[in-house]
Amino acid sequence: MPSFFTLLACSLAAAGASLVSASPIEARGSCTFTTAAAAKAGKAGCSSIVLSNIAVPAGTTLDLTGLKSGTHVTFEGTTTFGYEEWAGPLISMSGTSITVSGASGHLINCDGSRWWDGKGTNGKKKPKFFYAHDLDSSSITGLQIKNTPLMAFSIEANDITLTDITINNADGDSLGGHNTDAFDVGNSVGVNIIKPWVHNQDDCLAINSGENIYFTGGTCIGGHGLSIGSIGGRSDNTVKNVTIEHSTVSNSENAVRIKTISGATGSVSDVKYTNIVMSGITDYGVVIQQDYEDGKPTGDPTNGVSITDITLDGVTGSVASGATEVYLLCGSGSCKDWTWENVQVTGGKKSSACKNYPSVASC
Ligand SMILES: *[C@@H]1O[C@H](CO)[C@@H](O)[C@H](O)[C@H]1NC(C)=O
């Protein structure tokens, strides 16, 4: 068993300084950790953390919560996780002004196929991947992530930017990946997701509550599309000021989706979907519906969650022949002030069940 001090290789970051008699725990320096336990024990003493080839033990979180303000975290080599049926998360990080990146050639390989059973949140208990809760004024850049067991990023943070994140769960298409949402956003003000590349089996983006959310340059393959909702029935039921733009959605169930809970209250306002290009959509190209109950549509919309100031500008492309191009099912008076420009979805069926949608839209 190596001792703690051999696992915690610390050096002082200040120019010219050297490790003399200072205890490495007190040093505010560069720390390279090779085990999850050492990272957890030593993180508070480091301004720069390298996580080098860490094999996280089964049933354990790579715990990077409570980092000191300004800490830089780098994933290096391959990060892996032992197998256990548990809720996770596999990684958790919190702090202020944290910058997270990956060294060239790194991979965070969750090896999710060990958990996949086609049942997602049902079936075997599966760990979520990454909690970015209270990771404020922070950035995560360039991470390469493979085969998450279940949802990838759970974001509950203020002023956070995720750039160039790759979530490649393509193996889940044939091996039973399910509910592998890429980015779940809730209770957040100021979330920027820039140029993500995602191949998964659930929402590419799912916003459950929050304000000032920006998603741009996304490539979304294989999942359920760019979603807001289901809204209603949570502690926070407000979604406001969302821009989703310049993204492609392919081989997915839906491209653009807003859904709200039947009988609930809340609001979805000031949402723009701009320049979204879809292909190979199997359910709905554009779907806005106010009839969700227990995770399923009832067909009977209610008006307690308003959907106002919604813009679709440049939402184009094709759906599969059995899919519905546009489906708009609103409660009485709850969908208003929409802008609908250059929405051209082709290749599928027209819906005959649309209700109560603003006259600028077409169904
Ligand atoms: C809306 O959100 C964007 C970030 O996407 C932010 O820059 C802008 O200031 C927000 N607008 C308001 C009125 O808060």
Side-chain angles (χ1 to χ4, degrees):
M1 207 31 208
S3 80
F4 174 74
F5 288 101
T6 61
L7 295 170
L8 172 61
C10 270
S11 63
L12 288 177
S18 59
L19 263 183
V20 207
S21 57
S23 152
I25 290 179
E26 287 161 19
R28 186 99 171 90
S30 299
C31 308
T32 296
F33 298 114
T34 59
T35 71
K40 185 176 181 182
K43 64 189 174 187
C46 313
S47 58
S48 173
I49 293 174
V50 176
L51 302 163
S52 181
N53 291 299
I54 290 187
V56 181
T60 303
T61 298
L62 178 52
D63 183 344
L64 299 159
T65 57
L67 296 175
K68 285 207 179 177
S69 180
T71 300
H72 183 78
V73 177
T74 306
F75 287 86
E76 182 184 87
T78 304
T79 308
T80 60
F81 305 87
Y83 180 77
E84 184 167 311
E85 292 176 31
W86 71 305
L90 298 177
I91 301 175
S92 187
M93 206 179 283
S94 66
T96 302
S97 302
I98 308 301
T99 54
V100 183
S101 61
S104 171
H106 82 283
L107 178 67
I108 304 175
N109 188 356
C110 304
D111 195 5
S113 66
R114 294 172 293 171
W115 286 272
W116 292 336
D117 55 8
K119 296 178 181 163
T121 54
N122 299 313
K124 270 188 206 177
K125 199 162 212 181
K126 305 170 185 76
K128 292 189 181 181
F129 170 57
F130 195 120
Y131 281 9
H133 296 180
D134 301 311
L135 186 61
D136 300 326
S137 303
S138 294
S139 67
I140 304 177
T141 305
L143 294 187
Q144 298 287 321
I145 297 147
K146 201 171 169 191
N147 293 345
T148 64
L150 200 63
M151 290 82 169
F153 284 93
S154 168
I155 300 168
E156 294 182 15
N158 297 330
D159 184 20
I160 185 169
T161 298
L162 298 96
T163 306
D164 289 327
I165 305 291
T166 296
I167 300 173
N168 185 353
N169 287 353
D171 292 341
D173 287 353
S174 57
L175 297 178
H178 193 52
N179 298 138
T180 49
D181 306 30
F183 302 98
D184 287 323
V185 178
N187 302 308
S188 299
V189 178
V191 176
N192 304 294
I193 301 173
I194 319 281
K195 290 191 280 155
W197 189 99
V198 172
H199 187 146
N200 67 347
Q201 297 81 30
D202 208 311
D203 295 309
C204 188
L205 171 69
I207 300 172
N208 288 318
S209 63
E211 293 179 26
N212 305 357
I213 297 161
Y214 180 57
F215 181 102
T216 189
T219 301
C220 300
I221 304 165
H224 295 179
L226 298 165
S227 304
I228 295 175
S230 306
I231 305 303
R234 294 184 166 82
S235 56
D236 183 347
N237 301 301
T238 302
V239 173
K240 193 171 153 186
N241 187 18
V242 175
T243 298
I244 300 171
E245 62 176 27
H246 305 308
S247 295
T248 61
V249 182
S250 57
N251 302 338
S252 297
E253 288 188 1
N254 317 286
V256 169
R257 175 160 69 162
I258 303 175
K259 53 182 173 156
T260 67
I261 301 283
S262 175
T265 55
S267 67
V268 177
S269 64
D270 194 7
V271 174
K272 293 184 181 64
Y273 284 93
T274 306
N275 192 9
I276 307 297
V277 178
M278 68 183 83
S279 60
I281 302 299
T282 56
D283 289 7
Y284 300 101
V286 174
V287 53
I288 300 179
Q289 62 188 132
Q290 299 208 283
D291 65 335
Y292 255 67
E293 195 175 85
D294 301 326
K296 293 191 297 281
T298 63
D300 196 8
T302 67
N303 63 7
V305 183
S306 56
I307 303 184
T308 59
D309 290 301
I310 308 299
T311 296
L312 270 67
D313 184 359
V315 174
T316 61
S318 59
V319 302
S321 57
T324 300
E325 293 168 356
V326 176
Y327 180 45
L328 306 172
L329 185 71
C330 292
S332 173
S334 44
C335 292
K336 44 183 194 213
D337 300 327
W338 290 9
T339 300
W340 195 267
E341 281 172 4
N342 190 23
V343 177
Q344 294 173 15
V345 182
T346 60
K349 299 180 294 192
K350 307 286 179 206
S351 174
S352 55
C354 296
K355 262 190 198 164
N356 293 326
Y357 58 89
S359 58
V360 294
S362 50
C363 205

